[in-house]
Amino acid sequence: MSNKINNSKVFSLFFGVWIFFRTVGNIDLFTSLHLNLVGTLSKFCLILLGIYIIIFSRKTVSVWGIILIYLPVLIATFITSKSIDFFFTIFIVLVSSHLDIDTIYKGFLRGILIGIIFVLLLFVLGILPDIIQVRLGSVRHSFGFSLPLIPPALFFSTVCAFLYLYRKSYTWKSLVIIFIIQIPIYLYCDGRGPFILTCGVLLGAMIIRYFHKDSIDSILFILGIVSLLLVLLFSIYLARYYNDSNTKWYTLNQILTGRPQWWNLYWNMYTPKLFGQELIRIGGAAVLENSSVNMMILDNGYLSILLEYGIIALSLFLFLIIFGLINLWKKRDTMGLLILIVWIFYGLVSNQIYFIDRNVGLILIANFISFRTSWQGEYIYG
């Protein structure tokens, strides 16, 4: 047990450092001082430490089976897609199955909070610029971050991590404070998706704390499975059949700020393959740097995994989510179920569902991989 705690603390330290650099982003100050190398080094240390933990930790035959199935697939997707993001996320989840989850959450929360405060401080001092965009008549501010959509997304991730880490001690006052803080973030950054989901997770947390019933775990579990299935089918169907001439779809496209149109464009450009392929992506930051470049974005986590990392990778990802939900339901981890559900919905409009520096809820899946029977039946509702 002491070895597990020590491993968790060391891993959490490097994880927090990496989260800090991922939160701050590639700012000119860090680039000029070569401080980004520290973030790269922390990621390298995480990989080395993770390999050590996987090799020398005690494992059951079932856990070995999962590792031996996933690692070859992850390596294959990395080779074909030329992207390490999905590989790294699932690798961290596999490693976390041998560590203390709360300790990892502490590292995440420290890293993201210090990163947010650091960027805002540099912005107030005038070192980082406020990037302004206009979308559908709304003026959006970045407050020092590379894009206006980043602050609300970071805030949503922070709220989810906070609620799970303090699931047994948060109060209605803390929920109200969080809601008040997010109002100016929404008004100035116009991040509708994170705002709606933050409201949803706050409402769910209030119900869990003050109106909890035994049946709520089963209700959330069913909601999670059904939501995952519907969101996945909706994404694929709309990507394949979307047409501007359909008035209802065109209206839906406007509501989702043009995302279905991009889904359809990528679906027509790329055919789903077993192990994925390299995708062309041109985000908002690249367009700001070069106005002659046209944006190409695929803001849908499920379609991104399917097209970039392949059919097998998406199947294994869905397998993890489903059995993660089952395990959280069995041990009555109500807050874990709630957080995983809101991220399932977020995957409809964001790729961040498979980025471990944003969706720390994926670490909850590690409980399923490790088969921690001692946690089965534990009543964790807040």
Side-chain angles (χ1 to χ4, degrees), residues 307-357:
L307 296 178
E308 187 168 13
Y309 302 104
I311 298 171
I312 295 179
L314 178 61
S315 300
L316 294 179
F317 182 77
L318 296 175
F319 174 83
L320 283 180
I321 296 291
I322 290 172
F323 281 89
L325 287 169
I326 291 174
N327 187 66
L328 291 170
W329 170 59
K330 284 184 176 179
K331 69 189 188 75
R332 306 181 73 182
D333 189 344
T334 314
M335 184 58 70
L337 284 167
L338 175 64
I339 290 173
L340 210 52
I341 288 171
V342 293
W343 273 101
I344 286 173
F345 282 107
Y346 197 28
L348 178 67
V349 295
S350 174
N351 296 328
Q352 295 180 8
I353 188 174
Y354 65 86
F355 284 83
I356 199 66
D357 58 305

Side-chain angles (χ1 to χ4, degrees), residues 232-243 249 260-268 272 303 307:
L232 177 66
L233 293 177
F234 176 78
S235 299
I236 295 176
Y237 182 83
L238 209 57
R240 184 172 181 178
Y241 296 109
Y242 174 80
N243 192 317
W249 286 356
Q261 192 172 26
W262 284 111
W263 302 347
N264 179 253
L265 174 65
Y266 271 91
W267 189 269
N268 291 329
L303 293 176
L307 296 178

Side-chain angles (χ1 to χ4, degrees), residues 102 164 167-168 217 327-334 367 372-381:
D102 283 358
Y164 190 78
R167 58 194 179 277
K168 297 181 181 180
D217 304 296
N327 187 66
L328 291 170
W329 170 59
K330 284 184 176 179
K331 69 189 188 75
R332 306 181 73 182
D333 189 344
T334 314
N367 293 339
R372 293 178 185 163
T373 54
S374 60
W375 286 18
Q376 299 287 334
E378 182 182 354
Y379 193 30
I380 307 175
Y381 63 89

Side-chain angles (χ1 to χ4, degrees), residues 127-186:
I127 298 175
L128 293 179
D130 182 21
I131 298 173
I132 299 176
Q133 292 180 333
V134 179
R135 184 187 71 170
L136 301 177
S138 299
V139 179
R140 313 169 76 192
H141 299 264
S142 72
F143 297 111
F145 291 94
S146 59
L147 287 172
L149 56 85
I150 292 181
L154 288 174
F155 185 74
F156 171 64
S157 298
T158 304
V159 171
C160 289
F162 169 82
L163 288 177
Y164 190 78
L165 186 59
Y166 296 98
R167 58 194 179 277
K168 297 181 181 180
S169 59
Y170 71 88
T171 64
W172 67 268
K173 293 180 181 179
S174 60
L175 299 180
V176 171
I177 291 173
I178 292 172
F179 179 76
I180 293 174
I181 293 174
Q182 82 154 343
I183 292 177
I185 297 176
Y186 169 69

Side-chain angles (χ1 to χ4, degrees), residues 57-336:
S57 296
R58 295 178 59 186
K59 289 170 285 295
T60 64
V61 175
S62 300
V63 173
W64 269 118
I66 291 175
I67 292 174
L68 293 177
I69 290 173
Y70 270 80
L71 285 182
V73 173
L74 295 177
I75 294 172
T77 58
F78 169 65
I79 294 173
T80 54
S81 67
K82 307 296 190 299
S83 173
I84 197 174
D85 295 323
F86 185 76
F87 172 92
F88 186 71
T89 290
I90 303 301
F91 176 77
I92 294 298
V93 172
L94 291 175
V95 174
S96 300
S97 66
H98 307 289
L99 303 175
D100 179 69
I101 302 299
D102 283 358
T103 303
I104 299 176
Y105 263 81
K106 289 177 182 177
F108 175 88
L109 200 56
R110 282 193 294 262
I112 198 170
L113 282 175
I114 295 174
I116 292 173
I117 294 171
F118 182 77
V119 171
L120 292 177
L121 179 61
L122 294 184
F123 167 70
V124 171
L125 294 175
I127 298 175
L128 293 179
D130 182 21
I131 298 173
I132 299 176
Q133 292 180 333
V134 179
R135 184 187 71 170
L136 301 177
S138 299
V139 179
R140 313 169 76 192
H141 299 264
S142 72
F143 297 111
F145 291 94
S146 59
L147 287 172
L149 56 85
I150 292 181
L154 288 174
F155 185 74
F156 171 64
S157 298
T158 304
V159 171
C160 289
F162 169 82
L163 288 177
Y164 190 78
L165 186 59
Y166 296 98
R167 58 194 179 277
K168 297 181 181 180
S169 59
Y170 71 88
T171 64
W172 67 268
K173 293 180 181 179
S174 60
L175 299 180
V176 171
I177 291 173
I178 292 172
F179 179 76
I180 293 174
I181 293 174
Q182 82 154 343
I183 292 177
I185 297 176
Y186 169 69
L187 293 177
Y188 285 98
C189 301
D190 192 28
R192 288 181 293 177
F195 175 79
I196 293 172
L197 291 172
T198 302
C199 289
V201 78
L202 290 176
L203 178 61
M206 184 74 76
I207 294 174
I208 290 172
R209 171 62 75 198
Y210 297 103
F211 306 98
H212 191 280
K213 295 182 179 180
D214 293 341
S215 61
I216 193 170
D217 304 296
S218 298
I219 293 173
L220 287 175
F221 168 69
I222 295 172
L223 176 62
I225 297 295
V226 173
S227 300
L228 181 63
L229 179 62
L230 291 179
V231 168
L232 177 66
L233 293 177
F234 176 78
S235 299
I236 295 176
Y237 182 83
L238 209 57
R240 184 172 181 178
Y241 296 109
Y242 174 80
N243 192 317
D244 282 333
S245 61
N246 186 307
T247 305
K248 293 182 180 179
W249 286 356
Y250 179 80
T251 303
L252 181 61
N253 185 60
Q254 294 297 107
I255 295 174
L256 295 176
T257 61
R259 285 181 174 88
Q261 192 172 26
W262 284 111
W263 302 347
N264 179 253
L265 174 65
Y266 271 91
W267 189 269
N268 291 329
M269 289 177 59
Y270 301 96
T271 302
K273 298 181 179 179
L274 281 180
F275 294 103
Q277 60 211 301
E278 189 174 3
L279 299 187
I280 298 175
R281 295 179 186 268
I282 304 175
V287 174
L288 288 173
E289 293 177 1
N290 186 355
S291 58
S292 63
V293 175
N294 294 321
M295 184 180 295
M296 282 192 65
I297 54 175
L298 181 57
D299 278 343
N300 183 298
Y302 308 100
L303 293 176
S304 291
I305 297 174
L306 175 61
L307 296 178
E308 187 168 13
Y309 302 104
I311 298 171
I312 295 179
L314 178 61
S315 300
L316 294 179
F317 182 77
L318 296 175
F319 174 83
L320 283 180
I321 296 291
I322 290 172
F323 281 89
L325 287 169
I326 291 174
N327 187 66
L328 291 170
W329 170 59
K330 284 184 176 179
K331 69 189 188 75
R332 306 181 73 182
D333 189 344
T334 314
M335 184 58 70

